[in-house]
Amino acid sequence: MTFKKSFFYSLTALAILFVAANWPANDPSYKESMILRAMMVGLTQLHYEPVQIDDKFSSNVYDLYLKRLNGGKRFLTYQEYNQLKQYQYEIDNQIATGNLDFFDLSYDLITVALQKTKGFYKEILSTPFDFDKIEYIELDSEKRKLAETDSELKAFWKKQLKYETMIRIAAGLEGKEEGQEEWQDKSFEQIEKESREAIAERYDRWFNGLEKLDRMDRFSGFLNSITSVYDPHTSYLEPIDKQTFDMNMSGTLEGIGASLTLEGDYTKVASIVAGGPAWAAGELEVDDLILKVTQGEEGEVENVVGFNLDEVVSRIR
């Protein structure tokens, strides 16, 4: 019975994916609709604990997808969430019909939001901060409310960037007190300026990675929000990601033996492969955050906070 069920699913999914693979490249929505349908056939028929595709399921997908899309509540405002709110209980119906209106709108909104917030940090970091002004910032995004408007969002970015610059300045001043060559001959104004420039460079790299995410990358994020509602270990892989997964499993490409995931600005260890390098070393644990990467004890240390997952993985490799 199980074999027949699996065989039927394989034929159905392959037929759908064959149509999708041969559909004209200039019409991505139809291809995406076919991929979504094929994935749902597999989840519905073969998952060990199928879930009810209803309004509750829809709301769970909606919440998880937007949390991942709007990492740290840095990009989308309450006004933009309101545009997406109409689909909170409609995703199940859209899945059934292959409708991608919700995803299309979210993709358009995040694309515009990235350009908007890119302008924020470039403008804010172009001039010195006033450190005599007392301000407060909530660093835990779970406790922070969505910005109501673009002006509120920009105000948050200013506080966030001021905080990050202040931390870097403090490190520079401490280094100066300790007589470190890098800082000893620099004034506060120089340290402040260099700190802003370093933060700007880091955000340049981060946004460069975010802008490299194409429509298919974003669609994969939507599909993985659906699979995550089933369980945290079920994922959709793009063909190139599937190839990497197969190489890692076969041992033809050496890795650290750990599964990584992105949580806001941070890369987190999701699981550790028994018998792999990370397991043997015994230094990494599940839920650890990877903040920096280096090659050997004498190698240059690179801060990877804010990098996308592919960039972090490539540096680790």
Side-chain angles (χ1 to χ4, degrees), residues 245-258:
F245 176 80
D246 289 342
M247 286 190 294
N248 287 335
M249 292 299 289
S250 66
T252 58
L253 183 65
E254 183 179 358
I256 63 172

Side-chain angles (χ1 to χ4, degrees), residues 105-169:
L105 179 57
S106 71
Y107 178 74
D108 291 341
L109 289 174
I110 194 63
T111 300
V112 173
L114 283 178
Q115 292 304 309
K116 173 182 65 184
T117 49
K118 183 178 182 179
F120 287 170
Y121 85 80
K122 286 185 174 294
E123 176 187 341
I124 292 166
L125 290 170
S126 65
T127 56
F129 290 104
D130 177 8
F131 290 105
D132 292 327
K133 182 180 180 181
I134 298 176
E135 295 181 287
Y136 300 90
I137 182 172
E138 176 56 71
L139 297 175
D140 187 345
S141 61
E142 294 293 330
K143 298 178 182 178
R144 192 172 66 247
K145 293 183 178 179
L146 279 170
E148 293 280 344
T149 62
D150 285 350
S151 60
E152 280 192 22
L153 185 61
K154 185 176 181 180
F156 162 74
W157 271 88
K158 187 171 184 178
K159 289 181 179 180
Q160 177 69 32
L161 293 169
K162 181 178 180 179
Y163 168 77
E164 293 181 33
T165 302
M166 182 177 65
I167 295 299
R168 190 172 182 88
I169 290 172

Side-chain angles (χ1 to χ4, degrees), residues 1-111:
M1 181 67 178
T2 302
F3 173 77
K4 289 182 179 179
K5 190 175 184 180
S6 300
F7 183 69
F8 174 75
Y9 158 66
S10 298
L11 289 178
T12 304
L14 284 173
I16 294 174
L17 290 174
F18 176 80
V19 173
N22 289 277
W23 198 260
N26 59 359
D27 186 8
S29 61
Y30 190 86
K31 180 177 181 177
E32 291 160 358
S33 179
M34 292 295 99
I35 292 172
L36 174 60
R37 290 173 61 189
M39 187 186 79
M40 293 308 298
V41 169
L43 288 173
T44 302
Q45 297 186 10
L46 295 179
H47 196 274
Y48 72 95
E49 191 175 359
V51 301
Q52 186 70 30
I53 310 299
D54 53 16
D55 286 354
K56 181 181 178 181
F57 170 85
S58 178
S59 182
N60 288 339
V61 173
Y62 173 88
D63 290 339
L64 182 57
Y65 174 62
L66 287 187
K67 181 179 180 180
R68 292 175 175 178
L69 186 70
N70 191 29
K73 298 178 181 175
R74 291 179 179 225
F75 306 109
L76 301 177
T77 66
Y78 185 77
Q79 293 177 351
E80 290 155 338
Y81 263 66
N82 270 346
Q83 295 182 55
L84 295 165
K85 189 74 173 177
Q86 60 182 309
Y87 298 108
Q88 183 173 5
Y89 300 105
E90 291 296 321
I91 296 174
D92 56 323
N93 300 323
Q94 293 198 349
I95 288 174
T97 60
N99 186 311
L100 295 175
D101 285 351
F102 169 68
F103 170 72
D104 288 339
L105 179 57
S106 71
Y107 178 74
D108 291 341
L109 289 174
I110 194 63
T111 300

Side-chain angles (χ1 to χ4, degrees), residues 251-300:
T252 58
L253 183 65
E254 183 179 358
I256 63 172
S259 174
L260 307 178
T261 187
L262 203 61
E263 188 171 278
D265 295 344
Y266 299 95
T267 299
K268 186 174 76 171
V269 178
S271 62
I272 295 177
V273 179
W279 177 85
E283 296 182 2
L284 275 183
E285 296 182 1
V286 172
D287 292 333
D288 278 353
L289 300 180
I290 297 177
L291 307 180
K292 299 178 181 180
V293 176
T294 186
Q295 178 66 36
E297 293 183 3
E298 302 299 326
E300 181 181 354

